[in-house]
Structures are given as structure tokens and as C-alpha cells.
Amino acid sequence: MSITITLPDGSERAIDEPATPATLAASIGRGLAKAAIAAVVDGDEVDLDRPLRGGEQVAIITDGSPEGRHVLRHSTAHVMAQAVTRLFPGAKFSIGPAIENGFYYDFELPGGATFSDDDLEAIGAEMRSIIAADQRFVRSEMSIDDGVELFADQPYKVEIIERVRSAEADADDSGEVAGDGTISVYRNTDDFVDLCRGPHVPSTGRLRHFQLQKVAGAYWRGNEKGPMLQRIYGTAWESRQALDDHLHQLAEAELRDHRRLANELDLVSFPRQLGGGLAVWHPKGALIRKLMEDHMRDRHGHGGYEFVYTPHLTDGKLFETSGHLEWYADGMYPPMELDNGTYYVKPMNCPMHCLVFDARQRSYRELPLRLFELGTVYRYERAGTLHGLMRIRGFTQDDSHIYCTEEQLGDEIASLLDFVLSVLRTFGFEEFTANLSTKDPEKYIGDDAAWDEATDALRRALERHGLPYEIKEGDAAFYGPKIDVDVRDAIGRSWQLSTIQVDFNHPERFNLEYVGADNERHRPIMLHRALLGSIERFFGVLIEHHAGAFPTWLAPVQARVLPVSSAHGAHAEQVAATLAAARVRVDVVGATEGLGKRIRAAKMEKLPYVLVVGDDDVAAGTVGVNPRGGEVERGVPLEMFMKRISEELDPVVPAPTLA
């Protein structure tokens, strides 16, 4: 007897009973059956052995897909917990989710013990033994009371189960529980059972390509007053090649770590005396920042933007009006009680830009009104989340807010995306993807028709550029849809940088109006646009993308002149003076040390050009050119070199690339 299943493309397929996603995959083809590790049945992710009764819509999850890698990693975390409890009797285990590119599991060891590097090696070996045994993952469901009894010696699991009983389970528990009043567990063998929603791979033999990476401390549920647990991180992939590629990327990322390079290149530091998440910019780093900011001001000035400045703190009533005190208070610094009111340092610039718009009556003839500010903001980030310039407590946004009519919205979004991609290309990025976040039907403000038009305008802009994008259904903030633009860096990592956000909320809250051509008052639409995101984070991404070897126009020192000996010092100074007159940032390092050592030092500083001058150069008015990453050239006429470098002194502003 057979049943009928609907496939993702809408076609139907008949398969014999007893039917499961595994037998469905096998009926389609051997390749799919080999790659299959789980399935989606009527929207729910399930194990491959889940019975099918007919009429369901089924999609097979394969090991190399994002969903498949998530299942692989969560299953590998389960095996890691199994190995730890074998090697450390009495260990308590809490949660073990899949994360981007890997997984972790949190443990409490008897007597407050901690894991060592040798322990990681032993745990990895035990995991390989479990994987070699090819143990099946067997799922079962039970009542909450039975679950509490089963995990009586695992207090963290019991706490999760009790939260289900009291309906307080949250996103942290989403991978642990089945919901609707029951719990689900998975067994590999009789000696290990884990609380888990699933799905898992069919058996442990599918988990051969993993590596444990490090141990870190982690508070239970992120509560600094709660127990400190031991967190083991690992990574898992569907093949040896995918694992090796990821490990190579990690090694390359370590070499490019912006914190290390910022220190080695004398750009930025994070003094303990300042407190966590705060940076000081050294002269070389500050020069690069100035060049970045000057470029942004120039581009905005030519792009129809008007510059504004707003203060670093404000009366708290402003954030009551904007809604930040209601929705964002946890990310704000505590208030300052002063004799004339309660003040906050600002976490964002948008409320103050609304005040600029509202400073006088506006006409439709002024729209679109584009306001731009390099505005410094302050947000409280937990100490454990701080990460160099990437996650910081005080930073400067390249913040724009555009006020326009509904009729102008489509063209404004299209031009914004042109602007975003053009500027990002100037800094050396060429690969882009995007996410389009749409309305949550249960949580939004504004008119449905306006939402639909705004979302369509964002979609049309993405498609006009041929920009690959994914739709995140229901992921928009309550006040409007948005586009997030990601860039891919030199080693293949994706960074979310730019945002174009439609906002129906702020104009309503601040009662913003303009007088239309009909002489009536109308509500403008507001667009938020952060292009670089923040100067600090973008600088960190830029350091890692270029591995500290900045494009010539951004390099603090663009050329260094090295005389072979002291006899050539005067010619070296003359060369430097000629270059400096042509706007080249140049210095001279005299012959107090050997030439080879001075060349190596310049290479360590990642300078674009090193110029060496000796006897022949003095006589002929030439230089030896040692370009970064290129072949050494001797006897180059200075005029020829100046022509070459002059083409690199200004950022290249590419024309928009449209589909």
C-alpha cells in the first residue's frame, strides 16, 4: 500500500508504507538518501525515521545545507555531553546548542574542577569512539513529571523542564524541549540520555568531521549572579574538506585579528584605565579615521545630504517620546539626576534628528530632507560580549535620516542602495548579499498599504541591483521593514554593515508634519540609513579584510624613502620633499641601521611603497621601488613613480553597478 507526499516544488510522490522521510529520500535518489540527515514535515523539523501517514508536505534536509549543518552541530554537542559524562562521573550538563559555524555545551564539574587542554584531547578521543560505534539516536516523549524523575541528578535539565511546566521557557530552551506540555529526550545508549527537541542525525556515525576548540567560562543563563559553568566550544561539518576549509579560515582570521594588528601597527588601544569597551585612537589610527570620515563627509555633501550635529546627552523625556526608555532601556547607561531633570547619554541619534526636522514648519518642496551626522553614541554591552572594535560601548555612527513623502519612497530607497554599494566598493569590498526583513503580522504599527509599498520598494531596489537576498519573514521591527547589507571579506566571512530601515514610528511619536502641495498637513516617512554601521566596527572589519595592508589612499605612510648609506641621505630627503609636495604621505628612515633591517621593518608596517636610493639613483634622479606585494624595480625615474602613486592617492569612486 502506498501514500502520497507533496514535495517542496508542489509535485506529489507516491511511496510504499511504512513510510518515513528516509524512505522518501531513497525513492528520489541515492545521492539524496546519502546526504539526508533530517526533514521538514508540514513546517516542523523532524528525524528521518518519523512515520509519514500521507498528505504531508515534506522537504529533505541535507548535510551541507545551513539547516543540515545546524542538525549536525547540535548532534555533535549531544555526543560531546555523552563523552564528558563518561569521562567525568558526576558532571552536570546544561544546554548544548548549535551556533554559527559550530556548537558548545556548558558543564559543571564535581568540586568546581575545570577542563584542561589535555581534557579536551581526551574528550575528543571519547567522542570519536562513540562516533565509530555508530549509535542510533532514539527519540521518545514523556510527561513533565516523568522528565523531572528521569533527570533527577541533573539540576539544570530539571530547571528547564520546570520552566516548561510554568510556561516560562524562552529562546534559550528552544532546542531543549518539545513544548505543548511534554518533553522529548534522545538516547544513544542506555548510559546516556539528553533532553532535546531534536531533530538529530540518524546515528553518531554521521558526525566524523569535528574539532573541539576551546574552553571558556559561562554564567548559567547569562546571569552574573548565577553559577559559573565550563563551556566547551567545537565546530562540526559535513565533510573533511569543509572542516579543513573552516579551520584554514580560522587560522587566517587569527592572523588578521584586528586587535592584534591594531597593536602591532600602533593604531588603537584599549587601556584598562578607561574601562571595558572603550578605545583610544593613536596618531596613525586617527589619521586613517580622519581620512574615512573626510571621505564620508565629501560623499554625503555631493549626495544631497545636509550636515547636523547633536549633543551627547539629553533630557530623558526625549527618549520617552521616542520609545527608547520603553523598548531599549537595558541597552542604555543609567540616568544622571541633575537639578533640572533626568539626563541620559544617547544610545542613538534618530530622536535628535527628528527635533531638527520639527524645528520649523516644513514644506513638501524641502523633501526629501536628508540629514547626516557622524554622531557618537553610548550603549551598555555586557562585559562578556565586548570584542575589540567589533563590540564596543562608545562608538560613532555614520548616521543618516531621510524624511520623504510616500511618493518619493521608492526612488529614495533605490538611490540609497546605489549610494551604499558605491561607498562600500570604495573601501575594497566587492561581494554583497542582503536580508529583507518583513512585517510581523502580530506586532507592527502603521497602515498595511504603507507597509506593503515600503516592502515592495525595498524588494524592487534589491532586484534592480541584482543583489542576492533572503527574505526574513516577520523579522522586521514593529515600526517598519528594512534591508541589511552584508559584505564578504577577503577570507570569505560575512559582515553585516549597512542598514536601510523604513520607519513609520518616529514621525508618529514626534508628530512630524509637512505642508503638501494641497496646502494640507501630511506625515513624512522616515528612513534610517547607517552605511558603515559605526566607524569603530567598520575600521575593525577593514583591518581584517585588508590584513592591515590598507589601500594606498588610506595608508598612514604611503611611501618610505631609505638611503643605502648616509652619503645618500640628502638625495633621500629631496625625494621625500618632492613626494610630499605632491600630497604623498612620506617619511625617511636614515642609514643608522642596515638596509635589510630597515626594509623588513617597513614591510612589517605594511607600507604600500618602500623607495631605496643609492649611488646610481643620486646620479640619475631615480629611485628603487619596492612595492607591497610586488617585484622590486630599480632605476625608476622619480617622475614616473610620482605619476603611478598619484593615481592611488584618492579613493576610487565606482559608478553604481545596476542589473
Side-chain angles (χ1 to χ4, degrees), residues 149 198 499:
E149 182 178 351
T499 298

Side-chain angles (χ1 to χ4, degrees), residues 415-426:
S415 68
L416 274 177
L417 198 53
D418 287 347
F419 192 65
V420 164
L421 299 183
S422 174
V423 170
L424 292 176
R425 288 190 176 102
T426 304

